[in-house]
Amino acid sequence: MGSISEPEPKVSYSKPPGIRLVEQIKKSPISYKTHQAIVLVVTFLAYASYHAARKTTSVVKSTLDPQSSITSLNSWPWRMSYLSEPAESRRLSRVLGDGWAPFNGSDGTALLGEVDLAFLAVYAIGMYFSGHLGDRTNLRIFLTIGMVGAGAFTAAFGVGYWANVHTFYYFLGAQVLAGLFQSTGWPSVVAVVGNWFGKKKRGLIMGIWNAHTSVGNITGSLVASALLRYGWGWSFVVPGLIIATVGVVVFLFLPVSPEDVGASEEDELPSPKKIGAGVTEPLLEPEVKGKESAVGFLEAWKIPGVAPFALCLFFSKLVAYTFLYWLPFYISHTAIDGKYLSSESAGNLSTLFDVGGVLGGILAGFISDRLGARAITAASFMYCAIPALYVYRSYGHVSMTVNIALMFITGMFVNGPYALITTAVSADLGTHSSLRGNSRALATVTAIIDGTGSIGAAIGPLLTGYISAKSWSAVFTMLMGAALIAGLLLTRLVVAEVAAKIEESRSRVSASRPQPAVLDV
């Protein structure tokens, strides 16, 4: 007696609500390429909003701590007429000119450095845990919670303006919690993008995609600067609302992986034979598919290349985040062509550093793709950053045009390797051949690399808070030393890549030589 065949179970996919709605309206499934486009756009907006919220502190620094000295008085012309103004208009002038306790005292710069340290230290530590959790949870939900939480505590910092809070620990606590929630972002977005894009042209794609960092910084600077005239609290509240709103968009539309939404790659990805063809890389080898289970923290550290790139990023982010948190402050307290800029103007001008960073990230990704050498590209950019930093410090004050040009070039070389390591390199290592195609290591590997880098990002702004009170030249010396160490840490990988290129060149020459004819005697 034959058995009655049971109907095949219907596969249940965890499609985001927005994707389901779009498919219902279209009455047809969304294509694989459309999913990829959605991933790029949504993750771009998500991390841009993270950085926009993160950037506000650097813009507001000069308002909280105007450094009441002869130099800073010249940079705040409205203070000179303060006593002659009517009482109702003094409030805004007081906020912009006299600072905000407890940051307007003699130790105000150091306190601001400690607030930066609190944010970045918790951010760095939280990154390790976020990567671990991200590989074990629904990244869409995880990212949404992180963004809404980050928005809430970014806004809470600004609420201190209207609540007339002058307690240092209130602002410290708000930044600690904001940093904790912000740590959910980077491992999540890189893991999602890595799930949808193979290694081919990953450097260029992620280099362009990584412009979200600079776009977020620029947006944060412009928004925070524009809102300063209405009270510095708005410079925190509005970016906080923006990141929370984008978090809702993430919940509605972000597809975490092709498997989650039932999308088929079809002929989008190259065949296994094509994957193995081309340049042989000594470090970042192609990915293969296999049964997936989350990779442990220590196991991820053992992946070849993770430790050197993580340590390199430690010093690279030390440089990048010192500019992120202190560049507007530095500009507002440095005479350019004999003139000092207001806090708002300094914040707007500092965006050119990030514009250069966009170009640097794209160039680094494109060059590393063409060379097939991530380490050579990253190290070269770090070495070029050293003279760029020196020249900017030495000649940036000559004129506005010179300052703009040198700031742009410095941003290009500083952010180029930072962008490359945190995107393409992290994704490559997260799908390293030693993992046997396990894509569930992406968030963990990304968290290790960027988490280690974030420790440097915490140390740089903290040291700057203390060192800048005595000498900005000493700050730039510290940054040049960090850039040098970052390049040197990749020396072994650079040598390996150079050796591989030489061997490849020899093989091509040997293959192109005509074989000698064999004569029969």
Side-chain angles (χ1 to χ4, degrees), residues 51 54-62 116 120 213-214 217-218 220-221 314-332 334 346-357 382 384-394 396 403-416 418 456-465 468 472-483:
H51 263 263
R54 197 177 304 172
K55 181 66 176 178
T56 55
T57 307
S58 67
V59 176
V60 180
K61 269 189 174 76
S62 296
D116 290 343
L120 291 167
T213 298
S214 297
N217 291 340
I218 293 169
S221 295
F314 175 96
F315 291 97
S316 178
K317 286 193 74 170
L318 185 152
V319 179
Y321 268 63
T322 297
F323 275 91
L324 174 69
Y325 278 90
W326 286 98
L327 182 57
F329 187 90
Y330 170 74
I331 292 173
S332 67
T334 302
N348 292 333
L349 181 61
S350 69
T351 60
L352 294 170
F353 178 86
D354 295 295
V355 175
M382 290 311 309
C384 289
I386 298 172
L389 287 164
Y390 176 80
V391 174
Y392 178 65
R393 170 57 182 167
S394 300
N403 188 285
I404 289 172
L406 295 180
M407 189 191 307
F408 181 90
I409 293 171
T410 304
M412 183 177 67
F413 287 121
V414 168
N415 282 351
Y418 161 44
I459 293 175
L462 173 68
L463 294 177
T464 301
S468 64
W472 275 104
S473 294
V475 172
F476 276 81
T477 300
M478 173 189 74
L479 298 179
M480 288 186 284

Side-chain angles (χ1 to χ4, degrees), residues 85-423:
E85 294 177 356
E88 60 270 13
S89 65
R90 292 182 186 178
R91 178 175 170 276
L92 177 60
S93 181
R94 172 182 62 80
V95 172
L96 292 177
D98 294 333
W100 187 270
F103 303 108
N104 60 350
S106 59
D107 60 344
T109 305
L111 290 177
L112 288 170
E114 291 174 9
V115 168
D116 290 343
L117 174 66
F119 175 93
L120 291 167
V122 173
Y123 175 80
I125 296 171
M127 186 82 70
Y128 293 116
F129 292 99
S130 295
H132 183 80
L133 290 172
D135 280 329
R136 290 160 175 79
T137 58
N138 186 317
L139 285 172
R140 178 170 59 89
I141 306 299
F142 187 64
L143 189 56
T144 299
I145 293 173
M147 296 181 73
V148 173
F153 289 105
T154 298
F157 193 103
V159 169
Y161 170 77
W162 292 284
N164 201 30
V165 176
H166 297 281
T167 303
F168 172 70
Y169 291 105
Y170 170 83
F171 299 108
L172 186 71
Q175 284 294 81
V176 165
L177 293 171
L180 180 63
F181 281 99
Q182 284 240 3
S183 69
T184 61
W186 192 240
S188 301
V189 296
V190 172
V192 172
V193 173
N195 287 338
W196 283 94
F197 292 89
K199 190 180 177 184
K200 186 179 180 182
K201 295 184 180 179
R202 179 180 279 166
L204 177 59
I205 290 173
M206 296 191 107
I208 297 172
W209 172 75
N210 193 66
H212 54 51
T213 298
S214 297
V215 170
N217 291 340
I218 293 169
T219 303
S221 295
L222 295 177
V223 170
S225 298
L227 294 173
L228 275 177
R229 67 187 66 184
Y230 305 107
W232 62 262
W234 288 110
S235 297
F236 286 92
V237 170
V238 172
L241 292 174
I242 291 174
I243 187 174
T245 301
V246 178
V248 176
V249 174
V250 166
F251 175 79
L252 293 175
F253 290 99
L254 183 63
V256 173
S257 68
E259 294 78 12
D260 282 349
V261 295
S264 175
E265 298 182 57
E266 299 176 344
D267 297 327
E268 304 271 350
L269 297 178
S271 64
K273 289 183 179 180
K274 290 183 180 179
I275 293 177
V279 178
T280 302
E281 295 182 76
L283 170 65
L284 306 179
E285 300 177 19
E287 61 231 68
V288 292
K289 297 295 181 182
K291 186 178 180 180
E292 297 187 355
S293 60
V295 173
F297 183 78
L298 295 179
E299 184 181 352
W301 267 105
K302 295 177 182 178
I303 297 172
V306 167
F309 273 113
L311 294 174
C312 172
L313 191 62
F314 175 96
F315 291 97
S316 178
K317 286 193 74 170
L318 185 152
V319 179
Y321 268 63
T322 297
F323 275 91
L324 174 69
Y325 278 90
W326 286 98
L327 182 57
F329 187 90
Y330 170 74
I331 292 173
S332 67
H333 291 82
T334 302
I336 300 176
D337 195 18
K339 300 177 182 178
Y340 289 90
L341 300 179
S342 68
S343 183
E344 180 179 351
S345 298
N348 292 333
L349 181 61
S350 69
T351 60
L352 294 170
F353 178 86
D354 295 295
V355 175
V358 173
L359 178 61
I362 294 173
L363 279 178
F366 175 75
I367 293 171
S368 68
D369 278 344
R370 292 297 298 270
L371 295 179
R374 309 289 197 209
I376 292 175
T377 305
S380 299
F381 269 71
M382 290 311 309
Y383 291 138
C384 289
I386 298 172
L389 287 164
Y390 176 80
V391 174
Y392 178 65
R393 170 57 182 167
S394 300
Y395 301 101
H397 66 280
V398 173
S399 69
M400 183 65 70
T401 301
V402 172
N403 188 285
I404 289 172
L406 295 180
M407 189 191 307
F408 181 90
I409 293 171
T410 304
M412 183 177 67
F413 287 121
V414 168
N415 282 351
Y418 161 44
L420 179 65
I421 294 172
T422 55
T423 55

